[in-house]
Amino acid sequence: MSATPHRLVLTGGMLFDVARDSRHEGHLLIEGGRIAAWLDDAGLARLDAVPRVDVAGCLMAPGLIDLHTHLGEPGDDDAETIVSVTRAAAAGGFTTICAMPDTQPVTDTPAAIEYVRRIAARDGAVRIEPLGALTMGGAGTHLSELAALAEAGCVAFSDGDRPLGDPAMLRNALRYASMLDRPVCLTALEPRLMRGWAMHEGAVAHRLGLPGAPDCAEEIAVARDLALAAHTGARVQLGIITTARGVALLRAARERGVPFSAATTPHHALLDDRWVLGWLGTRPTEGLDPTRLPPYDAATRITPPLRTPDDAAAVVAALADGTIDLLVSDHTPRTSAAVEREYRLVPPGITSLETSLATALALVHAGRISLATLLRCFIDAPARLLGRPVPRLQPGEPADLVAIDLAHDWQVDPQRFHSRGRTSPLASQSLRGQIALTMCAGRIVHDDGRRPVVG
Amino acid sequence: MGEPAIVPGGRRHVLDLDDFAAEEISAVLETARSMQEVLGRRIKQVPALRGRTVVNMFFEDSTRTRISFEVAARALSAAIVNFSARGSSVEKGESLLDTVRTIEALGADVIVIRHAEAGVPQLVAHAFGGSVINAGDGRHAHPSQALLDLYTIHARFGSIAGLRVVIVGDVVHSRVVRSGLWGLTTMGARVTLVAPTTLLGPAAYWHATWPEVTVTTDLDRAIDGADVVMALRLQQERQDAGLLPSLGEYRRRYAITAERLARAAPHAIVMHPGPMNAGVEITPEVATAPQSVIEAQVGNGVAVRMALLYHLAGES
């Protein structure tokens, strides 16, 4: 992509104010990496010498923030590099991705944090903010030097997708973290109920002969994590919430006023365990079609597992009423060699940065959540959890933004992903809503091929 | 060999019985009867699969199933190659699918595969240009065992529809049960699964796929008037995993004993897919009683596997 001009006008976009849930058309002047002004038609006419990009009809919003991205680099750059993951992020509308600490090495030292920040600044198309490992090696037995990690610039603490099994250890970790003004992102799963699991425990797993992870593994962990959050006063984010039982506990905690943040993914809201059945199941009458996949497809192996249709419906309801306030991609790149194997032994995780927004938009198009809710879950809530001002498309703000062509239908083709990861359960499915243009710090980092800079 | 009932080439893989209609099962059983006749001859061989290569890929220990397929392939004049994961390229880190691609390049027509992980035959079928027969994958499916059980039941009763079949044991972990349920329910049998709750699983999980099946923890009631009683192998590891207090308690409640068998129909038969733990899930006395068809099951297995191989790889 050629260098973005220092001054640029994005013309004809639909400006969306999440706070007021209002839209109006206008033109956005970008200058020196920041938003300089909103222009009406007369204002645009006065700037006819300034280069323009036509984003007519597109929804304009601040860049999305992903709190849960797994990197490949350092450690597994066959699966993903900083270049490929940030290009994938840009293509998915994300201008900031928060990197899970489960790289090789694990980011449990200031040097590891600084390394990720350095290569991110050098190679990244978008911003990468590293999380620090809550425990050494993410192994759950010894606390990392959390204060040193915070000073080195980590934005949050987490052990990635590995749940901390020992409640006494978790209590100590939360108490210690509470003095450091960093949130702790927890995986709400009880590992002792998930030994040898392949998918969600239920009728589908039973038919396929696969060992299951029961929903109570989440329910127990949610209860425990909520209790420890209240007890320690730590700022916690519970993730990734996937079950009706987990949602019920969270909703009750919201009603009591317990402060917490909770995350889910668009795929857990929209897909379910029938996707593991693939063409052995029945074709749905509308929406996405799981029968296009073969049974036991590696792209359906996800942690936490895809749950039942009732669970997915409960997750959507929780997004709609604010019980769950965060959407994350849980992007997890894998090489094809790593996933071409026995289903239960496939390392869980899918390539999702480039499909997350469009997947979540399917809920908006179906009238199940509002567009404002979707944007709050991808923009406002992550910013708040990171302790930052909520991004707005206002003069003076950094030009981290996205133009979304809400009506554009496209077919998911993993071979055309920018990510090196190719595992997606959505392969060949049709989604509505595509990123027209992504800008990070005033630089165009992605466009849909129909956005030439004119003038 | 008489006129075979099945038309070769009509099916590519046998991964489970979930895609077998009653007519196809009947056709396989009828072909198996022709094969049984071949096996009764002095020279137990026909040239149906001459020039074809069958590869046995057994990633899990098995004696009877592997040898059964081997004898079946030889009786049809196919070349049979036994691949053992032990000492192979798999042990040197080659992936399963790379191994399959190598075997394809070496000219295999049929892969017979057994693996401890559910879904592996589907994975292999996707990558392999020939035919795949599932010889048991995890707790998922074991279609040739289910077919030989159907054959054995049919041989005794002349039909399957309406029979009351009671299956006792570790049903939740059993691939024999899952494939058996597809076959038995398709053929119109009424099936009851019996086990302690930890080896039974929730009734709703069974009913979601097989709505007709009855599940219960009470063997003494379930066995009342049964036509077929099938015991399953109980693995020691179930006790180690905390699913059972002891083998003794299991035996007292769930072993097929002569006293319990007396409550079944007078003509009832006793089956077991093997290998047996005589003295645990079945008493030695019952295993060798006149009602026991356990030995016949083994012999029938060869004929049924010949029928399957003929079905997939025979000249049409």
Side-chain angles (χ1 to χ4, degrees):
Chain A
M1 208 164 293
S2 55
T4 309
H6 180 71
R7 288 183 92 198
L8 180 77
V9 186
L10 302 172
T11 62
M14 190 75 75
L15 315 172
F16 189 83
D17 188 329
V18 176
R20 295 188 194 85
D21 200 357
S22 66
R23 320 178 193 199
H24 59 281
E25 212 183 277
H27 318 290
L28 203 51
L29 175 66
I30 311 296
E31 194 169 343
R34 289 183 177 273
I35 295 167
W38 278 115
L39 307 170
D40 56 15
D41 290 347
L44 179 66
R46 282 191 294 276
L47 290 175
D48 62 353
V50 178
R52 325 177 151 186
V53 174
D54 181 2
V55 289
C58 291
L59 176 81
M60 306 299 292
L64 276 46
I65 302 170
D66 187 25
L67 278 175
H68 196 131
T69 306
H70 296 276
L71 301 180
E73 186 183 6
D76 187 8
D77 52 9
D78 286 340
E80 192 86 290
T81 63
I82 295 293
V83 172
S84 64
V85 74
T86 54
R87 284 204 179 140
F94 295 93
T95 53
T96 299
I97 54 176
C98 299
M100 279 287 147
D102 54 354
T103 44
Q104 291 301 325
V106 171
T107 51
D108 57 5
T109 61
I113 297 280
E114 280 154 15
Y115 179 77
V116 171
R117 286 168 58 92
R118 193 168 64 246
I119 54 173
R122 189 190 66 198
D123 298 342
V126 304
R127 304 173 202 270
I128 298 184
E129 302 283 9
L131 279 79
L134 190 59
T135 63
M136 293 298 290
T141 47
H142 296 280
L143 282 184
S144 305
E145 291 184 349
L146 299 180
L149 295 180
E151 278 162 32
C154 80
V155 292
F157 303 120
S158 173
D159 272 350
D161 294 339
R162 274 172 76 168
L164 239 170
D166 176 0
M169 183 70 206
L170 179 57
R171 175 170 177 247
N172 290 338
L174 292 179
R175 289 169 75 189
Y176 196 87
S178 67
M179 72 176 178
L180 298 170
D181 195 30
R182 293 287 188 286
V184 181
C185 300
L186 298 172
T187 294
L189 291 170
E190 168 50 63
R192 284 162 292 193
L193 284 168
M194 298 181 64
R195 285 189 187 127
W197 71 282
M199 64 174 294
H200 172 66
E201 182 187 300
V204 175
H206 192 75
R207 168 170 175 185
L208 291 174
L210 289 169
D215 58 0
C216 63
E218 176 175 300
E219 187 181 17
I220 287 169
V222 166
R224 183 195 70 170
D225 293 355
L226 284 170
L228 289 174
H231 173 75
T232 60
R235 227 163 11 115
V236 300
Q237 183 241 108
L238 278 70
I240 291 169
I241 302 302
T242 60
T243 69
R245 290 171 176 279
V247 164
L249 285 176
L250 292 176
R251 188 171 285 127
R254 285 256 185 261
E255 281 161 11
R256 290 199 310 275
V258 178
F260 67 89
S261 195
T264 193
T265 74
H267 45 274
H268 284 100
L270 208 62
L271 312 188
D272 53 62
D273 62 350
R274 291 174 301 181
W275 286 67
V276 190
L277 209 51
W279 62 53
L280 294 179
T282 46
R283 187 186 301 274
T285 48
E286 56 182 40
L288 302 172
D289 181 5
T291 67
R292 286 193 201 164
L293 287 181
Y296 302 97
D297 193 275
T300 62
R301 174 122 163 92
I302 300 170
T303 178
L306 295 174
R307 304 288 186 178
T308 67
D310 287 346
D311 289 312
V315 165
V316 174
L319 284 167
D321 72 9
T323 300
I324 294 177
D325 56 333
L326 280 163
L327 279 165
V328 299
S329 79
D330 191 24
H331 177 81
T332 310
R334 305 283 188 200
T335 62
S336 58
V339 301
E340 257 193 355
R341 61 173 312 169
E342 303 89 328
Y343 186 81
R344 192 179 64 87
L345 306 178
V346 169
I350 58 170
T351 308
S352 52
L353 275 171
E354 289 160 84
T355 53
S356 273
L357 177 65
T359 307
L361 278 171
L363 300 171
V364 175
H365 295 314
R368 302 176 68 196
I369 62 171
S370 70
L371 185 58
T373 296
L374 179 150
L375 294 176
R376 268 196 292 270
C377 289
F378 269 129
I379 301 165
D380 301 26
R384 258 189 222 109
L385 188 77
L386 296 176
R388 297 174 178 188
V390 170
R392 294 282 175 251
L393 296 182
Q394 297 292 349
E397 295 267 317
D400 284 15
L401 57 87
V402 59
I404 308 165
D405 187 347
L406 285 173
H408 187 84
D409 290 320
W410 60 290
Q411 203 177 41
V412 179
D413 178 1
Q415 297 311 315
R416 298 179 65 185
F417 281 165
H418 294 77
S419 170
R420 289 191 177 182
R422 297 282 186 264
T423 34
S424 171
L426 296 166
S428 89
Q429 305 283 337
S430 201
L431 296 176
R432 172 164 294 177
Q434 196 177 37
I435 304 301
L437 177 141
T438 306
M439 186 174 258
C440 184
R443 214 158 55 88
I444 297 172
V445 289
H446 174 79
D447 73 63
D448 61 5
R450 293 179 286 140
R451 312 288 159 188
V453 179
V454 178
Chain B
M1 185 168 109
E3 190 63 23
I6 49 179
V7 182
R11 154 182 295 279
R12 175 136 169 240
H13 306 297
V14 178
L15 303 177
D16 197 356
L17 294 190
D18 57 350
D19 58 348
F20 274 71
E23 298 71 36
E24 193 178 9
I25 290 174
S26 294
V28 171
L29 300 188
E30 203 176 324
T31 303
R33 279 189 285 279
S34 305
M35 298 300 177
Q36 191 79 282
E37 183 262 315
V38 170
L39 292 170
R41 295 179 192 168
R42 197 170 59 82
I43 295 174
K44 302 178 178 62
Q45 200 173 46
V46 287
L49 261 62
R50 180 169 294 159
R52 299 302 180 110
T53 301
V54 177
V55 178
N56 262 340
M57 291 184 85
F58 278 62
F59 291 87
E60 205 183 47
D61 288 340
S62 158
T63 308
R64 81 183 60 206
T65 305
R66 183 176 57 75
I67 293 175
S68 183
F69 270 107
E70 193 171 338
V71 171
R74 286 190 202 286
L76 293 168
S77 307
I80 174 91
V81 179
N82 275 308
F83 169 93
S84 157
R86 209 162 286 147
S88 73
S89 49
V90 170
E91 240 179 22
K92 293 172 191 152
E94 186 177 55
S95 82
L96 175 70
L97 287 190
D98 284 340
T99 306
V100 167
R101 289 179 192 117
T102 303
I103 284 175
E104 179 166 10
L106 290 169
D109 298 296
V110 180
I111 285 178
V112 178
I113 186 160
R114 165 166 296 189
H115 202 288
E117 292 294 337
V120 164
Q122 276 74 7
L123 185 72
V124 170
H126 214 60
F128 180 60
S131 291
V132 174
I133 298 178
N134 180 4
D137 62 323
R139 42 179 104 156
H140 171 231
H142 194 355
S144 66
Q145 177 71 43
L147 285 167
L148 80 85
D149 290 343
L150 291 173
Y151 183 94
T152 306
I153 295 168
H154 192 274
R156 180 59 67 106
F157 293 98
S159 75
I160 296 166
L163 293 179
R164 275 207 54 221
V165 180
V166 174
I167 307 178
V168 192
D170 189 3
V171 295
V172 78
H173 298 105
S174 173
R175 55 192 173 211
V176 175
V177 166
R178 284 180 177 76
S179 286
L181 278 175
W182 288 117
L184 287 164
T185 56
T186 299
M187 299 310 284
R190 292 179 295 151
V191 185
T192 302
L193 304 178
V194 188
T197 42
T198 45
L199 302 182
L200 187 62
Y205 291 1
W206 292 106
H207 290 147
T209 306
W210 300 280
E212 321 83 339
V213 69
T214 305
V215 297
T216 174
T217 57
D218 186 347
L219 174 59
D220 289 324
R221 204 173 284 176
I223 204 167
D224 225 24
D227 300 300
V228 177
V229 179
M230 187 189 296
L232 302 173
R233 177 178 174 80
L234 184 77
Q235 292 180 332
Q236 173 70 36
E237 65 190 74
R238 304 301 173 219
Q239 188 190 331
D240 302 340
L243 294 169
L244 287 177
S246 73
L247 294 184
E249 176 151 312
Y250 179 83
R251 190 169 52 228
R252 285 192 292 278
R253 284 176 65 93
Y254 296 102
I256 306 299
T257 61
E259 300 76 60
R260 286 200 169 108
L261 190 57
R263 309 180 62 143
H267 56 258
I269 58 171
V270 175
M271 305 176 73
H272 194 297
M276 253 188 305
N277 291 316
V280 181
E281 67 263 10
I282 188 167
T283 61
E285 176 199 4
V286 170
T288 54
Q291 296 107 309
S292 168
V293 294
I294 296 170
E295 219 165 284
Q297 285 176 273
V298 179
N300 294 340
V302 176
V304 165
R305 286 166 180 131
M306 285 173 75
L308 287 180
L309 287 168
Y310 178 73
H311 198 0
L312 298 183
E315 292 293 339
S316 52

